[in-house]
Amino acid sequence: MAGRLAIIGGDAAGMSAASQARRRDPDLDVVAFERGPYTSYSACGIPYFLGGHFEDSERLIVRSPEQHSERGIDVRVHQEVLAIDLAARELTVRDHQARTESTEPFDQLVVATGAVAVGPRVPGADHLEPARTVDAAERFDEQLDRGGEKAVVIGAGYIGIEMAEALKKRGFEVTMVDIADHVMGIAFDADMAKHVQDGAEEEGIDVRLNCAVEGIDLDDDGRPVAVRTAGGVLEADHVVLATGVKPATQIAQEAGLEVGEFGGLLTDDHQRCTGHDGVFAAGDCVESWHRLLERPVNVQLGTHANKQGRIAGINATGGDAAFPGVLGTAVSRICSREVARTGLTEDEVARFTDLDVIAVVQKSLTRAGYYPGAGPIWVKLVAERSTGRLLGGQIVGVEGAAKRVDVLATAIWAGMTVQELELLDLGYAPPVAPVYDPLLVAASAAVRELS
Amino acid sequence: MAGRLAIIGGDAAGMSAASQARRRDPDLDVVAFERGPYTSYSACGIPYFLGGHFEDSERLIVRSPEQHSERGIDVRVHQEVLAIDLAARELTVRDHQARTESTEPFDQLVVATGAVAVGPRVPGADHLEPARTVDAAERFDEQLDRGGEKAVVIGAGYIGIEMAEALKKRGFEVTMVDIADHVMGIAFDADMAKHVQDGAEEEGIDVRLNCAVEGIDLDDDGRPVAVRTAGGVLEADHVVLATGVKPATQIAQEAGLEVGEFGGLLTDDHQRCTGHDGVFAAGDCVESWHRLLERPVNVQLGTHANKQGRIAGINATGGDAAFPGVLGTAVSRICSREVARTGLTEDEVARFTDLDVIAVVQKSLTRAGYYPGAGPIWVKLVAERSTGRLLGGQIVGVEGAAKRVDVLATAIWAGMTVQELELLDLGYAPPVAPVYDPLLVAASAAVRELS
């Protein structure tokens, strides 16, 4: 198929779409516009770069613009799409280096504009740049190199804790504040979030909850000096904003593309924007079907972005691929703990469903008790009371939480019950699990709770 | 229910049955006969004890005879059941300490006699004691302490490699010989077994395959001096026999209980011995239903023994619990590799089924490439050609194989296809997985292979 496929956004979703389309249709003109200098980078790796796990920020880049060009994708970095004209099939593009604007035609379009940070709406916050891209991370890294003693992280979700740990590892005194009554936001119930918080506090991070930020004081050069909170003033040589992100949909909405309740672009399961032929969207800027809630939600994760981009690329080139939806699986390793969740928390069940559920929390060991390195792991399961159908899992442990949550995700995906889970043939060997895996221990407790 | 429940065998299956029965029926007389000195120990942990991962062999004991007694179970150690009279409901018991024999009545019986080693049938082998129990492991540990330089391990399956690694860790020069053309026996296909062998060789273990053992030379005190093989004589101060085990069913068979094709006692899914009311069997001595092969097989693993024992205990006390069968999941960490398998290997498919399958092997990384500690992991998937139904998985990697195989076990249990697996919502974070988890990479390859 001849023609031109334009892609807005050069990270995971956009470049997955570009690569897939390029591979499938050698005659297609594939052009990708990226407003920053980099393509296909791992934003999730930024806290580990800042924490000094590796030196070279370039390692975050999976594939550079040059590498994409070599594969026949026309990548335009430093070029920002300002407007989409769906009727005329044209983009208005600003070249930030040449300082010019041009009009670019397209036959088909993939919108992969990602997400933007939502800072706290307090004085001073607008002056701070969130370290969400590789170039922003490099700038923040230079700032950190200039010294100082104290850092304040605003927001105690995944990114907040990952950044707090990174700053602690860099030698700063770190305070993390959040307006909520527990860490990890809505991703974890309070009882499980407590184990994450314990991990952060064991690393020496000062965690302040129920604590509203009122403003950020800056010096004459615009550098942070202090964070004013409801609980007092915190001196701060560095401030990290980690209060969440929202889908970046402004130009898409101005062009008439529809957004859902969570602010993401609405697509069908082929990543086609509702009601617009040849227009696709993928990644952090879209809403994805939640298989348990049976409604679209906005989940920002590289894994979905990659898959959805790939699916958009397949469908834009005459293929037929469908994204089957998400379960809300998310994992991290923070502060000597692996933390993982999938499906619904008790809190989400209460907020978004009418389901009647039971929930259990069981503490176990990650390995046979006598095997060196065995440590605590907590597993929480949420199941439907009438049937035992598994609805959600949260795991926090010194190791082995992430891959164990994948077992739960697979079980939820397949519609399994806790009764089935209890007798699953899971692997056992002293270095990797006790004879009753923590998942089986939790499933047994859930079965008892149901009876 | 009054009456007497007798249990033959004081390890995982037997004592799980005893504990469950005790808890459920306070009036029942529960007596367990164990010919050795210990109860409820982790045989799987023996190689790690011998390798010096921990000093005290008592740590292998989950619950001692005294602890069981305190909970109201009449445990008789050093007492071996010599005969079962099912008609008279009596056991003939030999007390090895008092050197007496007695008759013990029972109303219900659980046979949990475990397995016995199958040594190579060569001169000298009968003089060597396999380190399969805690007391045998203690004796072998003392032997190792007496010194020597060279050790030979006969058999390159799980236990053989675990023991070879333990001996290497103790400072011996280790040679491992096996008559097969690859390590890990029938548990792994040759292409995957190669990665396990590479791990063993990297640790400095001399692996000799296609190598038949012809005899073991002993000195006048009955201690090993050398192992004679088809490929020459190997000097040996210590010799480990790890050529497999078989169900210990002699007294049960003499009593008229039926065994299956793999030599294990036949039971229904309630662990009831076929045709014998009130007689149960569980653990290494039984055959278990294989959910994919749809026939009984003999799998010797503590995890099944615990579950089956528990189920026997429930059903012996008027309950109703069923064992849903096995998939052949097995994992270990050996020689800096985690190795894991579930379902069917290509070889097993060919030997035991008429299925037409595809198989793929994909090499990936265990973490994001830039994250320290990332290392190689190989995933092999076997799927039905006509449907894509997942039938088996083998994983070898520097980490993360065991819990990843649990995902495959769950998917196989639920009857999922590789097409579904490819788009599963598995967790992603740089410290624990690449953005496309190795399982998803392998599933994608399988989907391509199918099309």
Side-chain angles (χ1 to χ4, degrees), chain A residues 90-145:
Chain A
E90 278 178 358
L91 304 176
T92 305
V93 179
R94 171 89 187 160
D95 184 328
H96 288 293
Q97 288 192 313
R99 294 169 189 272
T100 56
E101 263 177 39
S102 63
T103 300
E104 295 282 348
F106 66 86
D107 297 296
Q108 298 196 92
L109 182 68
V110 176
V111 180
T113 40
V116 287
V118 183
R121 284 188 201 131
V122 297
D126 287 349
H127 290 265
L128 302 175
E129 181 188 39
R132 281 186 39 79
T133 60
V134 175
D135 45 316
E138 288 164 344
R139 288 187 286 273
F140 188 56
D141 185 52
E142 280 168 28
Q143 268 181 48
L144 295 177
D145 276 343

Side-chain angles (χ1 to χ4, degrees), chain A residues 42 44-45 48 53-54 59-60 301-304 306-307 310-311 322 324-329 331-333 338 367 369-372 402-404 406-407 409-411 413-414 416 420 422-433 435-437 440, chain B residues 42 44-45 48 53-54 59-60 301-304 306-307 310-311 322 324-329 331-333 338 367 369-372 402-404 406-407 409-411 413-414 416 420 422-433 435-437 440:
Chain A
S42 171
C44 333
Y48 307 108
H53 285 77
F54 51 95
R59 294 195 64 189
L60 292 168
L301 272 178
T303 176
H304 303 318
N306 271 285
K307 288 178 193 146
R310 189 165 171 273
I311 285 165
V326 302
L327 291 177
T329 310
V331 304
S332 190
R333 185 178 291 164
E338 270 188 29
R367 310 177 181 192
Y370 54 78
Y371 196 90
K403 292 299 116 190
R404 280 191 174 92
D406 283 348
V407 173
T410 307
W413 192 279
M416 289 173 77
E420 286 177 278
E422 186 188 15
L423 291 166
L424 263 186
D425 187 1
L426 301 184
Y428 155 60
V432 293
V435 69
Y436 276 106
D437 191 272
L440 303 182
Chain B
S42 170
C44 333
Y48 308 107
H53 284 78
F54 50 96
R59 294 194 63 190
L60 291 168
L301 271 178
T303 175
H304 303 318
N306 271 284
K307 288 177 192 145
R310 189 165 171 272
I311 284 166
V326 303
L327 292 176
T329 309
V331 304
S332 189
R333 184 178 292 164
E338 272 188 29
R367 312 177 179 193
Y370 53 80
Y371 196 90
K403 292 299 117 191
R404 280 192 173 92
D406 283 348
V407 173
T410 308
W413 193 279
M416 289 172 78
E420 287 176 276
E422 186 187 14
L423 292 166
L424 263 186
D425 187 0
L426 302 184
Y428 157 59
V432 293
V435 68
Y436 276 106
D437 191 273
L440 304 182

Side-chain angles (χ1 to χ4, degrees), chain B residues 335-357:
Chain B
C335 301
S336 315
R337 296 274 198 284
E338 272 188 29
V339 304
R341 56 147 285 149
T342 189
L344 304 175
T345 62
E346 260 190 297
D347 193 31
E348 287 171 324
V349 167
R351 287 165 65 165
F352 299 120
T353 81
D354 296 322
L355 293 165
D356 184 18
V357 301

Side-chain angles (χ1 to χ4, degrees), chain B residues 257-333:
Chain B
L257 297 178
E258 200 183 344
V259 300
E261 201 179 325
F262 293 95
L265 295 171
L266 289 177
T267 73
D268 64 12
D269 67 355
H270 280 52
Q271 303 304 132
R272 287 180 291 235
C273 289
T274 320
H276 296 276
D277 216 40
V279 180
F280 301 83
D284 289 1
C285 64
V286 307
E287 296 198 355
S288 305
W289 187 252
H290 194 295
R291 293 171 63 91
L292 291 172
L293 295 176
E294 298 184 331
R295 60 182 277 183
V297 296
N298 178 241
V299 179
Q300 285 142 350
L301 271 178
T303 175
H304 303 318
N306 271 284
K307 288 177 192 145
Q308 290 174 342
R310 189 165 171 272
I311 284 166
I314 291 170
N315 294 324
T317 48
D320 177 15
F323 185 71
V326 303
L327 292 176
T329 309
V331 304
S332 189
R333 184 178 292 164

Side-chain angles (χ1 to χ4, degrees), chain B residues 171-182:
Chain B
F172 295 98
E173 262 178 60
V174 181
T175 304
M176 182 166 60
V177 299
D178 200 299
I179 196 168
D181 65 355
H182 62 82

